[in-house]
């Protein structure tokens, strides 16, 4: 059922044009597609391939996460490789440019692609849970607290939904991240995922793949909370104060430009918030038998900021591209895209009555 649903969506959407499809397969007899939530307008728009809040909707959002996260992280593998090496050996890799020069001199141009396979598999798995579960938890928590509270406390809602999603996403990512860092930072250990995984298991057992899970949570959960909450609020502010017309009047292309801009702004904040934990993860997976506490202690406060500039460039670009691709996938597959949040009519009436 899961795969047939995705295959059917793929047949219908990108090649027939994102705006020429029929109405949603599941029609609602009510104006409110999600009980208690005033979001029916976007969900029933002509051309949508599914109903907002349906199982198919969440699965397609997960597919968008696979495409956006897997492709962008894999594309930026060379920058990620140099960033990791800067973090674990700044004496050898003095800065970003020098790091690229040393890597090219020692490994050639093919060396810049080291770790691409665990990157592709790991971040595709992470994207599935990150975006799919974020959309699910946002709807679920919103239903729990009600329409009015979902609007009033929407930043908290974004933070809670993204943290919940990332908790599960990192469990899927951890083994691949461990292999990636081992390949990229331990000279002579392995060149491919197929070579690295058996060696890691032989050396440390299953622990080798999950010893970095806790610091990964420490890195990724704050990063994802910032990524989603900052993005959602930045989009809202851009449409309110910068874009000269309502989102409903903007073309799909104009909306995607706003998405990219908001994604880059969010990415810069993401990089800063999560960077110390990222350095610890890199060092931890390089050193056999180390713990997150001892790694952090040995690095010291300033040591945990090694490689910040290339990571800001990397994460800013990465986050902007991910949101751009994810939103583009939503357009291409006809996934409902609710407009920026508006105050519910019931809350407006209460405020007016209070005045």
């Amino acid at each position: 059922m899961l795969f047939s649903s995705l295959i059917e969506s793929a047949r219908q959407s990108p090649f027939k044009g994102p705006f020429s499809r029929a109405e949603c397969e599941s029609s609602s007899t009510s104006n409110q597609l999600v009980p208690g939530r005033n979001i029916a307008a976007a969900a029933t728009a002509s051309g949508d391939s599914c109903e907002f809040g349906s199982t198919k909707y969440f699965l397609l959002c997960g597919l968008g996460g696979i495409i956006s996260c897997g492709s962008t992280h894999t594309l930026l593998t060379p920058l990620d490789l140099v960033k990791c090496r800067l973090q674990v050996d700044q004496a050898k890799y003095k800065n970003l440019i020098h790091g690229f020069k040393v890597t090219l001199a020692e490994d050639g141009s093919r060396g810049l692609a080291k770790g691409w396979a665990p990157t592709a598999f790991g971040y595709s798995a992470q994207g599935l849970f990150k975006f799919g579960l974020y959309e699910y938890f946002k709807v679920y928590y919103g239903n729990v607290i009600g329409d009015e509270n979902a609007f009033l406390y929407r930043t908290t809602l974004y933070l809670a939904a993204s943290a919940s999603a990332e908790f599960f996403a990192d469990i899927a990512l951890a083994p691949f991240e461990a292999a990636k860092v081992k390949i990229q930072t331990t000279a002579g250990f392995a060149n491919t995922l197929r070579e690295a995984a058996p060696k890691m298991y032989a050396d440390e057992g299953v622990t080798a793949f999950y010893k970095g899970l806790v610091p990964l949570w420490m890195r990724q959960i704050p990063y994802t909370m910032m990524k989603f909450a900052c993005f959602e609020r930045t989009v809202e502010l851009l449409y309110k104060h910068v874009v000269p017309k309502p989102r409903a009047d903007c073309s799909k292309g104009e909306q995607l430009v706003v998405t990219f801009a908001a994604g880059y702004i969010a990415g810069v904040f993401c990089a800063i918030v999560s960077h110390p934990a990222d350095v610890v993860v890199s060092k931890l997976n390089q050193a056999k038998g180390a713990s997150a506490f001892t790694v952090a202690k040995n690095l010291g406060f300033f040591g945990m900021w090694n490689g910040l500039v290339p990571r800001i460039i990397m994460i800013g670009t990465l986050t902007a591209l991910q949101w751009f691709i994810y939103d583009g996938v939503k357009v291409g597959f006809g996934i409902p895209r609710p407009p920026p949040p508006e105050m519910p009519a019931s809350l407006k009436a209460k405020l007016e009555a209070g005045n």
Side-chain angles (χ1 to χ4, degrees), residues 171-239:
I171 295 173
L173 170 64
F176 298 100
E177 181 74 359
K180 176 188 78 72
V181 173
K182 199 76 172 176
I183 291 168
Q184 292 178 337
T185 62
T186 306
F189 181 78
N191 291 316
T192 66
L193 176 61
R194 285 182 296 177
E195 187 182 351
K199 282 188 176 182
M200 292 171 67
Y201 184 79
D203 287 347
E204 301 179 70
V206 177
T207 306
F209 300 102
Y210 284 99
K211 70 177 182 179
L213 180 58
V214 172
L216 195 60
W217 277 330
M218 292 170 62
R219 180 188 84 183
Q220 288 297 131
I221 290 178
Y223 162 83
T224 301
M225 292 170 72
M226 181 67 72
K227 173 179 180 174
F228 283 90
C230 184
F231 172 80
E232 297 268 23
R233 294 310 300 262
T234 302
V235 166
E236 188 179 337
L237 290 172
L238 287 176
Y239 279 112

Side-chain angles (χ1 to χ4, degrees), residues 101-232:
K101 287 181 178 178
V102 172
T103 300
L104 285 169
E106 293 183 348
D107 303 324
S109 57
R110 292 186 64 181
L112 291 173
K114 267 190 174 181
W116 74 267
T119 298
F121 290 120
Y123 284 94
S124 293
Q126 186 208 39
L128 169 66
F129 291 98
K130 184 197 291 278
F131 282 92
L133 288 180
Y134 170 71
E135 299 285 3
Y136 171 78
F137 283 122
K138 187 166 67 168
V139 170
Y140 178 77
Y141 293 154
N143 288 338
V144 170
I145 63 177
D147 196 23
E148 293 179 6
N149 286 329
F151 174 79
L152 290 172
Y153 305 106
R154 56 193 181 280
T155 301
T156 303
L157 176 64
Y158 304 146
L159 292 170
S162 56
S164 301
E166 190 60 39
F167 177 86
F168 295 101
D170 288 343
I171 295 173
L173 170 64
F176 298 100
E177 181 74 359
K180 176 188 78 72
V181 173
K182 199 76 172 176
I183 291 168
Q184 292 178 337
T185 62
T186 306
F189 181 78
N191 291 316
T192 66
L193 176 61
R194 285 182 296 177
E195 187 182 351
K199 282 188 176 182
M200 292 171 67
Y201 184 79
D203 287 347
E204 301 179 70
V206 177
T207 306
F209 300 102
Y210 284 99
K211 70 177 182 179
L213 180 58
V214 172
L216 195 60
W217 277 330
M218 292 170 62
R219 180 188 84 183
Q220 288 297 131
I221 290 178
Y223 162 83
T224 301
M225 292 170 72
M226 181 67 72
K227 173 179 180 174
F228 283 90
C230 184
F231 172 80
E232 297 268 23

Side-chain angles (χ1 to χ4, degrees), residues 16 26 38 70 83 88 90 162 169 238 319 344:
K16 295 183 179 179
S26 303
N38 188 25
K83 180 268 299 180
V88 301
Q90 199 168 31
S162 56
L238 287 176
T319 305

Side-chain angles (χ1 to χ4, degrees), residues 14-71:
F15 306 106
K16 295 183 179 179
F19 316 115
S20 62
R21 286 179 297 281
E23 297 289 332
C24 291
E25 294 170 359
S26 303
S27 59
S28 174
T29 56
S30 168
N31 234 6
Q32 289 186 320
L33 293 173
V34 181
R37 306 298 304 282
N38 188 25
I39 48 177
T44 56
S46 176
D48 288 346
S49 65
C50 59
E51 185 179 66
F52 182 88
S54 66
T55 300
K56 183 178 179 181
Y57 170 79
F58 296 127
L59 289 173
L60 287 174
C61 287
L63 177 62
I66 291 173
I67 295 170
S68 64
C69 290
S71 62

